[in-house]
């Protein structure tokens, strides 16, 4: 015989009970999370959205009146929209003075450019007035051995305790992932480029 189906009142009650249980769990976790510290955030993976999420976090910091800075380790062919906006809001930028490495193919020149940008990053990693620092595309500098991993780890570890740092880029070194507090991997499900659509200003850069 067919079971009588629940009436909508019973369903609503069960839903309410489930939601209350969920809320109690979330509330307990919120109550338990009491510490504040500078977060090391890594945004990695092959999908689109790493740099935009990094810049989004910088925008949040600026919105709260915090001092923020950005080092871009790979300079694209075009100037990114975020720089135009954020420099106007007082965010300091250091942009590596070279094109994509796979375009220039001049290892010595690229290494010198990477070091120059990293030296600025190191200064900012000692500056406690900077509350949020984005190291965009830093991962490549380490994986292609333009920068020494130990040197990068040391500067990250010794930074001011309240400073937030965001590292973006594909194939992040395991040691940086281990050091990080929060790590997100962006997975590509699809990308318009594969359908022949080019990178567009105001959307891709
Ligand atoms: P975005 O700057 O849009 O947040 P991203 O930082 O995650 O992207 P990068 O690896 O830095 O990605 O690549 C930058 C450029 O390459 C952007 O123009 C982006 O649209 C494009 N791109 C990112 N992921 C892919 C992908 N899976 N296939 C093709 N192009 C991609
Ligand atoms: Mg990027």
């Amino acid at each position: 015989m067919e079971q009588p189906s629940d009436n909508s009142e019973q369903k609503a009650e069960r839903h309410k009970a489930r939601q209350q249980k969920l809320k109690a769990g979330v509330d307990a976790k919120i109550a338990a999370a009491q510490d504040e510290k500078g977060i090391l955030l890594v945004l990695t993976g092959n999908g689109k959205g790493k740099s935009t999420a990094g810049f989004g976090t910088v925008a949040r910091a600026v919105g709260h009146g915090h001092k923020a800075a950005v080092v871009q380790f790979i300079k694209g062919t075009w100037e990114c929209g975020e720089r135009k906006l954020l420099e106007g809001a007082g965010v300091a930028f250091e942009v590596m003075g070279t094109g994509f490495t796979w375009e220039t193919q001049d290892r010595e020149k690229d290494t010198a450019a990477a070091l120059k940008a990293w030296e600025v990053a190191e200064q900012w990693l000692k500056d406690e007035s900077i509350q949020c620092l984005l190291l965009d595309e830093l991962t490549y500098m380490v994986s292609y051995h333009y920068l020494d991993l130990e040197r990068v780890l040391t500067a990250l570890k010794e930074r001011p305790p309240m400073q937030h740092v965001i590292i973006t880029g594909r194939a992040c070194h395991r040691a940086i992932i281990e050091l990080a507090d929060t790590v997100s991997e962006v997975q590509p499900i699809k990308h318009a480029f594969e359908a022949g659509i080019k990178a567009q200003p105001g959307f891709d850069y």
Side-chain angles (χ1 to χ4, degrees):
M1 209 175 73
E2 210 176 289
Q3 291 288 323
S5 65
D6 288 354
N7 64 36
S8 59
E9 218 170 278
Q10 283 172 313
K11 272 187 187 162
E13 273 305 311
R14 274 212 305 274
H15 175 76
K16 198 175 163 194
R18 262 199 312 270
Q19 291 305 105
Q20 272 168 350
K21 207 172 149 195
L22 197 70
K23 184 177 171 347
V26 173
D27 285 349
K29 277 189 188 159
I30 292 171
Q34 287 296 327
D35 295 347
E36 272 191 17
K37 64 169 249 179
I39 299 298
L40 178 59
L41 168 64
V42 170
L43 301 166
T44 191
N46 296 333
K48 174 179 168 64
K50 302 174 292 293
S51 293
T52 37
F55 281 113
T57 310
V58 170
R60 278 190 177 164
V62 171
H64 284 284
H66 297 176
K67 192 171 164 193
V70 176
V71 184
Q72 285 182 293
F73 283 93
I74 292 180
K75 184 180 169 227
T77 320
W78 314 282
E79 197 168 319
C80 75
E82 293 95 328
R83 183 177 177 190
K84 293 182 186 179
L85 180 78
L86 293 169
E87 272 189 338
V91 176
F93 268 72
E94 173 69 22
V95 182
M96 201 169 109
T98 179
F100 284 108
T101 51
W102 44 92
E103 269 177 21
T104 59
Q105 291 167 6
D106 181 341
R107 192 160 178 93
E108 230 167 85
K109 198 169 141 244
D110 286 342
T111 307
L115 255 176
K116 190 166 165 272
W118 175 249
E119 277 161 13
V120 175
E122 267 181 342
Q123 286 310 306
W124 287 345
L125 283 163
K126 287 180 188 149
D127 181 347
E128 60 181 52
S129 77
I130 295 174
Q131 288 155 285
C132 182
L133 175 62
L134 170 61
L135 304 174
D136 192 35
E137 322 297 350
L138 176 71
T139 58
Y140 304 98
M141 301 302 108
V142 173
S143 47
Y144 293 132
H145 306 287
Y146 292 124
L147 296 177
D148 176 54
L149 172 67
E150 286 309 319
R151 186 168 167 182
V152 170
L153 290 173
T154 300
L156 291 171
K157 283 179 196 159
E158 292 179 356
R159 74 186 196 278
M162 293 309 290
Q163 187 183 66
H164 302 303
V165 174
I166 306 140
I167 293 173
T168 77
R170 298 176 191 208
C172 187
H173 194 286
R174 205 159 28 93
I176 298 177
I177 288 178
E178 271 163 28
L179 184 65
D181 302 286
T182 302
V183 181
S184 295
E185 187 173 28
V186 185
Q187 294 287 1
I189 306 288
K190 25 159 118 167
H191 195 288
F193 181 71
E194 274 133 47
I197 297 156
K198 67 177 189 178
Q200 301 172 78
F203 190 81
D204 290 298
Y205 60 91

